[in-house]
Each structure stands twice: as structure tokens, then as C-alpha cells.
């Protein structure tokens, strides 16, 4: 029997989503972003499903080390680079590419005398105001980096888009223009686009693209689902009904008695909660699929359970299968009901949820 809460990962469909990246950016190399434990899908599972990625991107040094220890040979880019010298040692040992985004890093590089040991991506802050050098510092930083013997040539160049998921927002073109005009006279491969940049902004395609969310079959745009973009969702979250009981008018359900029963209700209890990564702030009415039929969430989400209204499903019984998101119920829709973005839902799946590769089920 399946555990109560489990995620089925259709890893075979990752190749399809990768192909969609190729079609959207046919002349770009692809850096597949698998940080955050592969957006909750499993770091190594995702790396294994993307053998043709020109590079993998992770956020932290630890994630890169895990990939190398698992035998991954592709280029690996650590998006946050390093902070301490110890982390730089790990980047050198495991041959991981580093983002260079701060003067602290530059100072550390300048103290090293070994030759051509590390590949770097120099990050420009074109308006995101997170990591990267300001436009007015960029040329000087580039010159200093050129003098660092430890750095392999050529130096690659990167920026990150802040608002590409809004196709109307003029910020994206402003950022692209800042990046390209600041780079006049500087050669080296360039990278701008995340998934929203790849699918929404032709001018953001450069030598490298950096798809994350679209590889998981999820849309970067709030107004569309991954399926509407021709992507195939990878993760489905399932559980089962564990109790069914009648609730009389006037009774309340769950913590704080926040849901008051207005008419006699057949209540169902499903074994999934925020302890599994189901969103605590999913609103009353959030759809849940039971035996393939939509029913509404009622009451508050607890750590291990949620409650649903089964009035429309008189035959539902304990043991029946439940889908929280997956086929017939897009994770994008659940994200809207929970006032969040689908990234947080898939990333938030906890250790307790058993991950099952759909290929094992065949
Ligand atoms: C996470 C991340 C990406 C991928 O973004 P998606 O929206 O998931 O495609 C690309 N580049 C950088 C720098 C990132 O941090």
C-alpha cells in the first residue's frame, strides 16, 4: 500500500519540458536550475532526468557537492557563489563554477596565486537589487577580475530579471538594455533569462538560458498554467481519505472552530497537512480531487490533516484516493487559492512525503 501522503514524479516528462526550452531558445545553451532540492522534486532525480543540460545551476555550494559526489559530470554553477574562503576551497576541489557578485569575493580572489583554477560568472545588478555589481562598478570589477590568476578565462556574464513574469512590465526591457549597453567592449558568454524570460521575452535569450520552473512543467506566468504553455507537470501530490462522518448544522470543524456548519454535511478527513507541505493558508473552497471529483476544503489546514465537504460524493469512503494537485488539478490553481506561487508549493514538500518515480509503477 502507498504511504498516506506521497508525490508521484513523472520524471520521463522532464525531457519534454527540456525540449520546450530548446524550441523557445534554439541557439542558447541550457543551464537547468535544480536548486532547492530540484524545486522539491529531488536534486539527484532532476539531474538524472536532464542528461543533456549544458550546465546545472544550484544556489549553494553544498548542493553542488552533492551533485559531484553522485557522479554528475556536467558543468555546475553555484548561483550564490561563496562567502567564506572555506567555501571557495570546496568550489575548487569539486570544480564548481562560482557567481562573482561582491567585493568580498573579489578581495579573496586577488589574494590567490594559483593559475586558472575556477570558472566564474560575473553578475551584474540591472535592477533586481539582490546579487550583483552595480552598472557603474562593473567595468572596474571586470578589469580586476581579469588580473586574478586563479580565474579561468573567458569570464562569463550574467544578470537576473526581476519582473519577467509580467509581460506588460517595461522593467524587463530596461534590464536587458542596461545589461547589453554596460557590456559594450566586454566579450564573453552572456545569460539573462529565467523561465519567464525564455517564454516571454525574445530579447532575453542570450548565449545561455536558465530555466527553472518550466522544467517542472509549471508556468512562470500567473495567468496561465504549465499545461496551457504545452508543458507537462512533473509532480502530483496524493493522499487518501481516512475518515468520513456526518456533521450537524451549527457544529464547527477544526482548530479555532473557524468553519461553522450551515447545513448537515458529510465531512471527509484527508491525511495531508502543512507537515507535508500542503499550504497552511489554503482558503475554504480550495478544490481537492477525491475519486477524480472536485470537492471543497473546509476548516483550517492542520499539520497532518485537512477536512473536506463530501456532500457531492455520497459514496466516498475511507481509503479512497485523493489528489491535492496533479492531473485534473493544476498546482497553479492551488497556489492561487493559497495566495502564493506554485514555486513555494512544490519546494515545500517535506521529507515525510514519499517520492515515487512514476516509472516504478509501470
Ligand atoms: C531560480 C533562478 C532561476 C530560475 O528561475 P525560474 O523562474 O524558476 O525559471 C534563474 N536564474 C537565477 C539566478 C535564479 O536564482
Amino acid at each position: 500500500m502507498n504511504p498516506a501522503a506521497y508525490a508521484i514524479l513523472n520524471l520521463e516528462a522532464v525531457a519534454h519540458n527540456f525540449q520546450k526550452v530548446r524550441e523557445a531558445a534554439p541557439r542558447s545553451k541550457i543551464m537547468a536550475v535544480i536548486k532547492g532540492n530540484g524545486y522539491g522534486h529531488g536534486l539527484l532525480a532532476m539531474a538524472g532526468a536532464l542528461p543533456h543540460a549544458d550546465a546545472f545551476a544550484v544556489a549553494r555550494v553544498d548542493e553542488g557537492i552533492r551533485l559531484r559526489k553522485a557522479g554528475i559530470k556536467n558543468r555546475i554553477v553555484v548561483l550564490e557563489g561563496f562567502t567564506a574562503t572555506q567555501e571557495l576551497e570546496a568550489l575548487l576541489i569539486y570544480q564548481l563554477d562560482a557567481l562573482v557578485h561582491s567585493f568580498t569575493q573579489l578581495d579573496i580572489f586577488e589574494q590567490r596565486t594559483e593559475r586558472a583554477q575556477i570558472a566564474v560568472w560575473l553578475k551584474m545588478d540591472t535592477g533586481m537589487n539582490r546579487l550583483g555589481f552595480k552598472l557603474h562598478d562593473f567595468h572596474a570589477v571586470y578589469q580586476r577580475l581579469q588580473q586574478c590568476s586563479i580565474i579561468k578565462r573567458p569570464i562569463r556574464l550574467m544578470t537576473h530579471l526581476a519582473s519577467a513574469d509580467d509581460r506588460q512590465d517595461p522593467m524587463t526591457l530596461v534590464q536587458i538594455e542596461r545589461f547589453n549597453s554596460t557590456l559594450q567592449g566586454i566579450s564573453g558568454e552572456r545569460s539573462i533569462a529565467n523561465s519567464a524570460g525564455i517564454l516571454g521575452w525574445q530579447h532575453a535569450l542570450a548565449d545561455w538560458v536558465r530555466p527553472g520552473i518550466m522544467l517542472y512543467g509549471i508556468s512562470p506566468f500567473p495567468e496561465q498554467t504549465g499545461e496551457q504553455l504545452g508543458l507537462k507537470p512533473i509532480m502530483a501530490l496524493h493522499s487518501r481519505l481516512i475518515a468520513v462522518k456526518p456533521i450537524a448544522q451549527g457544529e464547527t470543524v477544526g482548530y479555532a472552530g473557524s468553519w461553522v456548519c450551515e447545513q448537515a454535511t458529510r465531512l471527509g478527513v484527508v491525511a495531508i497537512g502543512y507537515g507535508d507541505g500542503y499550504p497552511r493558508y489554503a482558503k475554504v473552497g480550495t478544490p481537492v480531487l477525491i475519486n477524480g471529483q472536485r470537492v471543497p476544503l473546509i476548516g483550517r489546514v492542520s499539520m497532518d490533516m485537512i477536512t473536506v465537504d463530501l456532500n457531492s460524493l455520497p459514496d466516498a469512503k475511507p481509503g479512497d484516493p485523493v489528489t491535492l494537485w496533479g492531473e485534473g488539478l493544476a498546482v497553479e490553481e492551488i497556489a492561487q487559492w493559497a495566495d502564493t506561487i506554485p514555486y513555494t508549493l512544490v519546494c515545500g514538500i517535506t521529507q515525510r512525503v514519499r517520492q515515487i518515480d512514476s516509472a516504478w509503477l509501470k
Side-chain angles (χ1 to χ4, degrees):
M1 192 176 191
N2 282 326
Y6 59 98
I8 302 233
L9 300 175
N10 182 11
L11 293 169
E12 286 169 1
V14 175
H16 168 90
N17 297 334
F18 187 76
Q19 183 56 29
K20 289 285 163 194
V21 178
R22 277 243 181 286
E23 286 166 19
R27 284 177 292 280
S28 306
K29 290 187 222 177
I30 301 176
M31 184 189 300
V33 183
I34 55 174
K35 65 194 181 190
N37 195 31
Y39 289 43
H41 296 62
L43 179 71
L44 301 180
M46 286 305 297
L50 288 161
H52 303 300
D54 299 293
F56 290 119
V58 292
R60 313 266 163 80
V61 177
D62 274 358
E63 297 172 298
I65 295 174
R66 261 187 78 203
L67 287 171
R68 282 283 182 256
K69 285 190 170 166
I72 298 296
K73 300 283 192 291
N74 311 48
R75 179 181 292 279
I76 298 172
V77 181
V78 178
L79 295 171
E80 292 178 0
F82 61 95
T83 318
T85 317
Q86 259 175 339
E87 278 182 322
L88 174 58
E89 300 308 336
L91 293 168
L92 294 166
I93 291 167
Y94 291 98
Q95 283 298 295
L96 307 170
D97 290 15
L99 260 284
V100 182
H101 55 75
S102 74
F103 285 103
T104 311
Q105 293 175 315
L106 198 52
D107 293 341
I108 293 175
F109 277 137
E110 284 177 335
Q111 287 159 19
R112 306 289 292 235
T113 52
E114 58 266 64
R115 297 213 74 78
Q117 294 299 312
I118 186 167
V120 299
W121 299 69
L122 183 54
K123 183 124 184 214
M124 190 191 299
D125 178 3
T126 52
M128 177 79 172
N129 272 314
R130 206 173 54 180
L131 297 182
F133 292 98
K134 294 286 188 193
L135 308 184
H136 57 82
D137 288 326
F138 202 82
H139 273 256
V141 169
Y142 180 78
Q143 294 311 332
R144 278 176 66 183
L145 214 50
Q146 285 281 18
Q147 304 304 314
C148 294
S149 73
I150 193 172
I151 286 169
K152 290 184 192 170
R153 260 27 73 116
I155 294 166
R156 296 183 177 82
L157 308 149
M158 189 186 289
T159 193
H160 191 46
L161 299 173
S163 306
D165 58 326
D166 180 351
R167 288 177 160 111
Q168 312 305 322
D169 194 325
M171 180 61 173
T172 299
L173 290 180
V174 170
Q175 286 192 271
I176 295 169
E177 153 61 20
R178 285 177 182 161
F179 187 61
N180 289 332
S181 60
T182 306
L183 289 181
Q184 271 174 29
I186 295 181
S187 60
E189 291 177 333
R190 302 177 183 191
S191 178
I192 304 172
N194 54 4
S195 299
I198 293 164
L199 294 171
W201 303 86
Q202 277 287 323
H203 296 297
L205 307 177
D207 301 299
W208 288 81
V209 290
R210 306 190 307 273
I213 199 76
M214 68 180 290
L215 293 173
Y216 307 89
I218 299 170
S219 171
F221 304 113
E223 71 281 2
Q224 272 174 306
T225 63
E227 277 185 308
Q228 287 165 344
L229 292 164
L231 302 169
K232 291 188 182 169
I234 306 304
M235 182 195 288
L237 180 63
H238 299 283
S239 186
R240 66 170 97 98
L241 208 49
I242 57 171
V244 174
K245 61 172 142 199
I247 303 289
Q249 188 193 5
E251 289 190 274
T252 63
V253 172
Y255 285 121
S258 67
W259 191 80
V260 182
C261 185
E262 283 175 0
Q263 56 164 17
T265 297
R266 264 184 102 236
L267 175 105
V269 182
V270 178
I272 196 93
Y274 62 79
D276 303 291
Y278 191 80
R280 164 81 170 68
Y281 296 106
K283 290 196 225 0
V284 169
T286 302
V288 172
L289 286 183
I290 297 188
N291 296 326
Q293 305 279 332
R294 282 180 179 232
V295 298
L297 177 87
I298 57 180
R300 279 199 192 158
V301 172
S302 327
M303 187 186 291
D304 312 308
M305 287 171 266
I306 58 171
T307 42
V308 294
D309 176 344
L310 293 178
N311 279 352
S312 64
L313 289 184
D315 299 328
K317 57 186 186 308
D320 283 356
V322 177
T323 299
L324 290 313
W325 60 75
E327 212 182 316
L329 186 55
V331 68
E332 290 93 335
E333 188 179 343
I334 303 303
Q336 292 207 335
W337 278 96
D339 288 331
T340 185
I341 53 174
Y343 295 73
T344 68
L345 298 185
V346 288
C347 268
I349 291 298
T350 65
Q351 290 248 308
R352 179 166 76 174
V353 176
R354 181 149 351 138
Q355 306 234 355
I356 301 171
D357 181 344
S358 63
W360 303 342
L361 303 174
K362 287 186 182 145

